[in-house]
């Protein structure tokens, strides 16, 4: 009787796992199958023009956007995490920071876009620019990086800190030379998730980095990233084939990012056992 | 034999709770002292007083005096980092840093300003040899310490503590997480270290206390009930409570 029940449940679970796999695999395959045949060398030319909607400027802009927003968000996120886990472990400030970061991580990205538009682009006078977009993206991924870093620090065994202090090391040295390197694998996985968020973002960037097609020449130039590029091509409706090619490239980039984070995750797991 | 460490009327409070109730003990140089007693009686708390590790605990307050080489370790002129360099500690759970074997050992000396590569190499080799680990790891100094066995990790932690050249070594149940063979190795190691170091070890293993220690202190509910030569303590305890504990634990 029991056996019979568990067989049904087991079968059901297997079916649902299979359905999920099927859906995910077919999306990936669909995007790649539609997109890859559309990839042409001309799509990777340096210049964009209306005859040849090259995605090269958008690729460069994407990389710049990721690099810049991470440069802003990483030190802030890790710094806040160190403050919350090593210095101010409890109290009102900590509660406020935690609550804010939890709230912020649930907000739709378009809201960040509107905020960035009003504050960075307009109020600060940065216009539609790489830096305006990067600041907005930095704020958007900050809670994510902070939370993952915080968790990485909290997961460290108390023994690491104690051993370092027991050797006569000071607090600062213990944090910078022992705790931070030990928490690094966890922090990196947060950074990679953040990278993925920037890579996939379109709504918030349309309002802050703009949709101009060129490669960003300075921090203040507008910078259309790949996701925005794809959105623009589809909404204009004139270059659907090229949009599919962009989708394929985006998909490949996302797969690469996930692959890297998986590898890092495994390295961590292997290291700590 | 001179006195290495001493406490006078040492009281410790965790908030309201009094965990140590007036401990007076004198620890002689190059002796192995075992601390025994039932769980929760304050052995770890006492051990952590000797290198001021309880400073880290919020709401922890100490009264009384602790001396290292005759100097009050809580006097304002006392340097905690220096004290901890001289009074090393090994914890119950082996806890190497997630670095290479070499970097684990080199961390302490670097902390205290050793930068010279050759000297660092020498220090690392010396510490690992003292801890009886050199032959096992000399070919893989650059691989992660996380790949070592539990017993090797614990000897690595002992080597890490020795690398800063302490003269007192505090060990809190260093073998309770280890198999009998690793335990035996560490006991042998402690006996060889005795010529050069003063050792204070917390243990729940009566046989271990008897095998390795010169002196034994029996703790009960925050008090030190009896302190004396290990063999005397085990074969003719003065206090009824000591006798009950030892016969109970020995079976
Ligand atoms: N950080 C702390 N805060 C409050 N109370 C504590 C703290 N650490 C220990 N205690 C209490 O102090 C008493 C002594 O604890 P301690 O850890 O020194 O015992 P122990 O003899 O080492 O026990 P065991 O053999 O289980 O390790 C216990 O009652 C314990 O609950
Ligand atoms: Mg203990």
């Amino acid at each position: 009787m029991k056996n019979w029940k568990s067989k049904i449940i087991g079968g059901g679970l297997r079916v649902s796992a299979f359905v999920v796999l099927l859906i995910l695999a077919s999306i990936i395959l669909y995007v790649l199958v539609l997109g890859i045949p559309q990839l042409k060398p001309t799509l990777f030319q340096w210049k964009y023009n209306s005859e040849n909607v090259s995605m090269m400027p958008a690729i460069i802009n994407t990389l710049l956007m990721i690099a810049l927003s991470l440069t802003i968000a990483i030190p802030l996120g890790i710094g806040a995490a160190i403050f919350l886990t090593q210095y101010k472990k409890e109290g009102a400030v900590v509660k406020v920071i935690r609550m804010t970061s939890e709230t912020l991580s649930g907000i739709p990205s378009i809201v960040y876009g509107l905020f960035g538009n009003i504050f960075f682009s307009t109020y600060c006078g940065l216009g539609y620019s790489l830096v305006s977009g990067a600041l907005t993206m930095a704020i958007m991924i900050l809670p994510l990086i902070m939370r993952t870093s915080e968790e990485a620090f909290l997961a460290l065994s108390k023994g690491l800190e104690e051993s370092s202090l027991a050797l006569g090391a000071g607090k600062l040295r213990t944090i910078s030379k022992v705790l931070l390197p030990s928490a690094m694998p966890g922090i990196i996985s947060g950074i990679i998730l953040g990278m993925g968020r920037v890579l996939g973002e379109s709504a918030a960037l349309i309002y802050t980095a703009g949709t101009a097609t060129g490669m960003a020449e300075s921090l203040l130039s507008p910078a259309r990233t790949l996701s925005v590029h794809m959105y623009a091509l589809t909404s204009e409706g004139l270059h659907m084939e090229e949009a599919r090619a962009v989708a394929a490239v985006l998909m490949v980039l996302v797969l690469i990012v996930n692959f890297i984070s998986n590898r890092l995750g495994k390295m961590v797991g292997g290291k700590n056992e | 034999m001179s006195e290495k460490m001493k406490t006078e009327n040492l009281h410790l409070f965790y908030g309201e709770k009094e965990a140590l109730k007036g401990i007076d003990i004198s620890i002689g140089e190059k002796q192995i002292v075992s601390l025994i007693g039932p769980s929760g009686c304050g052995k770890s708390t006492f051990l952590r007083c000797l290198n001021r590790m309880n400073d880290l605990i919020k709401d922890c307050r100490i009264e009384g005096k602790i001396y290292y080489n005759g100097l009050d370790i809580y006097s304002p002129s006392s340097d905690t980092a220096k004290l901890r360099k001289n009074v090393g500690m090994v914890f119950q759970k082996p806890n190497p840093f997630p670095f290479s074997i070499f970097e684990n050992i080199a961390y302490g000396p670097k902390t205290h300003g050793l930068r010279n590569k050759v000297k660092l190499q020498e220090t690392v080799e010396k510490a690992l040899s003292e801890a009886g680990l050199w032959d096992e790891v000399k070919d893989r100094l650059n691989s992660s310490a996380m790949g070592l066995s539990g017993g090797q990790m614990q000897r690595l932690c002992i080597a890490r503590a020795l690398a800063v050249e302490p003269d007192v070594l505090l060990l809190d149940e260093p073998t309770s997480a280890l198999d009998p063979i690793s335990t035996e190795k560490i006991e042998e190691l402690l006996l060889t270290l005795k010529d050069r170091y003063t050792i204070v070890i917390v243990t729940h293993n009566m046989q271990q206390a008897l095998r390795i220690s010169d002196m034994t202190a029996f703790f009960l509910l925050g008090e030190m009930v009896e302190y004396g030569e290990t063999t005397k303590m085990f074969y003719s305890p003065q206090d009824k409570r000591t006798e009950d504990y030892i016969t109970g634990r020995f079976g």
Side-chain angles (χ1 to χ4, degrees), chain A residues 24-67:
Chain A
L24 293 179
S26 45
I27 292 176
I28 295 177
L29 270 180
Y30 184 74
V31 171
L32 293 179
V33 165
L34 281 184
I36 288 176
Q38 307 297 339
L39 286 173
K40 292 171 287 197
T42 50
L43 280 180
F44 295 97
Q45 267 171 9
W46 285 108
K47 278 262 180 277
Y48 171 103
N49 52 49
S50 42
E51 284 87 64
N52 174 34
V53 290
S54 165
M55 67 171 102
M56 202 58 187
I59 292 180
I60 305 285
N61 289 342
T62 307
L63 297 179
L64 288 174
M65 186 65 75
I66 289 176

Side-chain angles (χ1 to χ4, degrees), chain A residues 41-177:
Chain A
T42 50
L43 280 180
F44 295 97
Q45 267 171 9
W46 285 108
K47 278 262 180 277
Y48 171 103
N49 52 49
S50 42
E51 284 87 64
N52 174 34
V53 290
S54 165
M55 67 171 102
M56 202 58 187
I59 292 180
I60 305 285
N61 289 342
T62 307
L63 297 179
L64 288 174
M65 186 65 75
I66 289 176
L68 198 57
S69 46
L70 288 180
T71 311
I72 301 165
I74 289 172
L76 283 177
I78 296 181
I82 289 178
F83 179 75
L84 290 182
T85 56
Q86 311 298 322
Y87 287 93
K88 191 95 182 118
K89 292 176 192 162
E90 50 208 47
V93 191
V94 177
K95 269 196 196 127
V96 170
I97 299 183
R98 287 243 164 80
M99 235 175 63
T100 323
S101 82
E102 254 158 50
T103 316
L104 282 180
S105 54
I107 290 179
S109 63
I110 183 101
V111 178
Y112 285 97
L114 286 174
F115 167 77
N117 181 275
I118 293 167
F119 187 73
F120 296 122
S121 304
T122 313
Y123 182 77
C124 300
L126 297 171
Y128 288 114
S129 64
L130 182 60
V131 68
S132 199
L135 285 166
T136 310
M137 288 298 97
I139 294 180
M140 189 177 90
I141 62 174
L142 194 55
L144 181 72
I145 292 186
M146 197 189 95
R147 304 281 306 183
T148 41
S149 305
E150 216 186 322
E151 263 148 43
F153 277 107
L154 290 177
L156 296 178
S157 102
K158 188 90 184 117
L160 287 179
E161 182 187 357
E162 289 197 325
S163 308
S164 170
L165 294 170
L167 288 167
K171 179 153 188 158
L172 208 58
R173 182 172 168 84
T174 300
I175 291 174
S176 64
K177 297 286 176 184

Side-chain angles (χ1 to χ4, degrees), chain A residues 167-207:
Chain A
L167 288 167
K171 179 153 188 158
L172 208 58
R173 182 172 168 84
T174 300
I175 291 174
S176 64
K177 297 286 176 184
V178 175
L179 301 184
L180 183 59
S182 307
M184 215 26 131
I187 296 175
I188 288 176
S189 70
I191 292 174
I192 287 176
L193 285 174
M195 261 166 85
R197 293 276 296 273
V198 178
L199 188 62
E201 187 51 48
S202 55
L205 284 172
I206 292 170
Y207 289 101

Side-chain angles (χ1 to χ4, degrees), chain B residues 3-162:
Chain B
E3 182 179 74
K4 196 77 208 169
M5 296 202 80
K6 183 169 81 164
T7 69
E8 278 175 8
N9 198 22
L10 176 68
H11 293 260
L12 183 142
F13 301 84
Y14 290 118
E16 291 296 297
K17 184 179 154 37
E18 187 172 13
L20 295 176
K21 303 173 182 166
I23 309 290
D24 290 279
I25 193 172
S26 162
I27 295 166
E29 189 172 10
K30 293 177 186 157
Q31 295 245 302
I32 300 186
V33 177
S34 293
L35 308 181
I36 61 169
S39 190
C41 66
K43 305 177 297 292
S44 303
T45 301
F46 175 74
L47 196 72
R48 292 164 58 92
C49 285
L50 299 179
N51 66 343
R52 292 186 60 166
M53 285 305 278
N54 287 323
D55 290 11
L56 308 174
I57 295 173
K58 225 177 122 230
D59 295 329
C60 172
R61 189 163 52 83
I62 285 180
E63 282 170 14
K65 294 268 187 244
I66 307 171
Y67 297 97
Y68 165 76
N69 280 345
L71 298 172
D72 179 0
I73 66 171
Y74 275 96
S75 89
S77 61
S78 156
D79 174 350
T80 315
K82 209 178 232 164
L83 173 75
R84 290 186 184 147
K85 177 185 175 299
N86 290 326
V87 183
M89 187 165 224
V90 174
F91 299 84
Q92 177 172 11
K93 193 166 155 267
N95 49 15
F97 302 136
F99 311 156
S100 71
I101 293 170
F102 182 91
E103 286 303 330
N104 260 278
I105 310 294
Y107 176 78
K110 281 185 184 167
T111 300
H112 296 286
L114 186 61
R115 285 278 169 277
N116 183 307
K117 281 241 166 69
V118 181
K119 285 245 173 68
L120 267 178
Q121 288 278 359
E122 283 170 13
T123 310
V124 169
E125 175 169 352
K126 181 163 164 263
L128 285 169
S129 308
E130 272 193 304
L133 197 58
W134 176 251
D135 288 328
E136 289 161 64
V137 301
K138 62 172 187 273
D139 301 321
R140 47 169 174 154
L141 290 178
N142 290 318
S143 46
S144 169
M146 294 310 186
L148 296 172
S149 74
Q152 288 174 324
M153 280 188 190
Q154 196 59 305
R155 277 181 287 148
L156 182 84
C157 292
I158 294 176
R160 183 173 67 186
L162 296 179

